């Protein structure tokens, strides 16, 4: 898949506007991302640090993630014009984006959607059983980027925390390896945690 096509697909999944441009390519991951690993990166990297960019970066770097050069088209699509950084996991299967406004995204270009969603629900259940507050806002199916996908959105607050976070996922409905995305964002103390398309927006 060319860099242009990968960015177009990424933009469609993340609802990112912008034209596709030709640029340096990031090699396509050679293997599928394990669903449990995708969710673990999200929970340990994004949720545990509540999207704070410096702790997220420190966590990622100590685990062998490599920062990607801003010229790569995937970086522009994941950051969507915001200040931040994108890093690739040691095995090359997952990208993690962190921005200065507290958003944190885990993108797996090739993973199994239903398994990622199940692993996410199990992780959220563990957080909830530990005392975190989780309020599911919606779950729906839509067609996006040429495939039917499940959009899920919840409002989350850690034990003893005072800040609400939006947790969202966009995962495919079939067992064919495809792009999967998990996203965290800060939300106001009251009010909607997502945009009309179902993904957190600041």
């Amino acid at each position: 898949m060319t860099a242009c096509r990968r960015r177009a697909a990424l933009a469609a999944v993340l609802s990112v506007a912008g034209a596709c441009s030709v640029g340096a390519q990031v090699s396509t991951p050679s293997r599928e991302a394990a669903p449990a690993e995708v969710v673990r990166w999200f929970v340990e990297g994004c949720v545990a640090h509540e999207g704070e960019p410096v702790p997220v970066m420190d966590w990622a770097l100590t685990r062998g993630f490599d920062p990607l050069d801003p010229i790569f088209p995937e970086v522009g699509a994941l950051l969507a014009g915001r200040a931040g950084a994108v890093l690739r996991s040691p095995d090359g299967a997952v990208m993690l984006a962190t921005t200065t406004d507290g958003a944190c995204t885990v993108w797996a270009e090739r993973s199994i959607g239903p398994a990622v969603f199940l692993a996410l629900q199990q992780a959220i259940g563990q957080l909830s059983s530990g005392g975190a507050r989780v309020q599911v806002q919606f779950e729906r199916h839509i067609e996006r980027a040429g495939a039917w996908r499940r959009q899920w959105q919840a409002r989350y607050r850690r034990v003893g925390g005072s800040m609400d976070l939006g947790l969202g996922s966009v995962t495919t409905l079939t067992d064919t390896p495809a792009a999967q995305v998990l996203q965290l964002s800060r939300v106001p103390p009251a009010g909607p945690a997502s945009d009309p398309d179902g993904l957190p927006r600041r």
Side-chain angles (χ1 to χ4, degrees):
M1 182 181 290
T2 66
C4 182
R5 289 182 178 178
R6 285 202 307 275
R7 186 180 179 188
L10 178 56
V13 174
L14 294 175
S15 297
V16 174
C20 187
S21 60
V22 176
Q25 297 185 26
V26 178
S27 59
T28 301
S30 59
R31 73 168 188 89
E32 294 177 19
E37 185 177 69
V38 174
V39 173
R40 180 166 65 88
W41 291 149
F42 179 66
V43 172
E44 294 183 4
C46 296
V47 179
H49 298 103
E50 299 188 312
E52 289 291 340
V54 173
V56 171
M57 282 283 292
D58 287 344
W59 174 89
L61 291 172
T62 59
R63 282 155 182 80
F65 279 67
D66 291 321
L68 295 182
D69 193 297
I71 66 172
F72 292 148
E74 287 87 347
V75 174
L78 280 166
L79 294 182
R82 297 167 295 178
V86 177
L87 306 94
R88 189 182 285 284
S89 62
D91 61 9
V94 171
M95 286 186 289
L96 183 150
T98 178
T99 64
T100 55
D101 61 1
C104 189
T105 301
V106 168
W107 163 273
E109 188 169 337
R110 297 184 70 245
S111 194
I112 306 300
V116 170
F117 183 74
L118 177 60
L120 177 63
Q121 295 308 298
Q122 292 172 340
I124 294 298
Q126 291 175 355
L127 292 171
S128 182
S129 65
R133 188 182 72 183
V134 179
Q135 298 176 323
V136 177
Q137 296 185 298
F138 63 79
E139 179 183 338
R140 64 189 178 190
H141 297 172
I142 68 164
E143 187 177 9
R144 179 178 290 185
W148 280 96
R149 301 176 184 270
R150 175 189 284 111
Q151 288 186 314
W152 177 87
Q153 179 75 35
R155 198 180 188 95
Y156 166 83
R157 182 180 294 186
R158 66 173 173 82
V159 178
S162 59
M163 180 172 60
D164 285 346
L165 300 171
L167 303 183
S169 66
V170 182
T171 55
T172 51
L173 298 176
T174 69
D175 289 334
T176 302
Q180 319 297 335
V181 62
L182 306 177
Q183 193 173 57
L184 173 148
S185 67
R186 296 173 185 168
V187 297
S194 63
D195 69 12
D197 288 329
L199 286 177
R201 193 175 276 181
R202 277 91 2 226

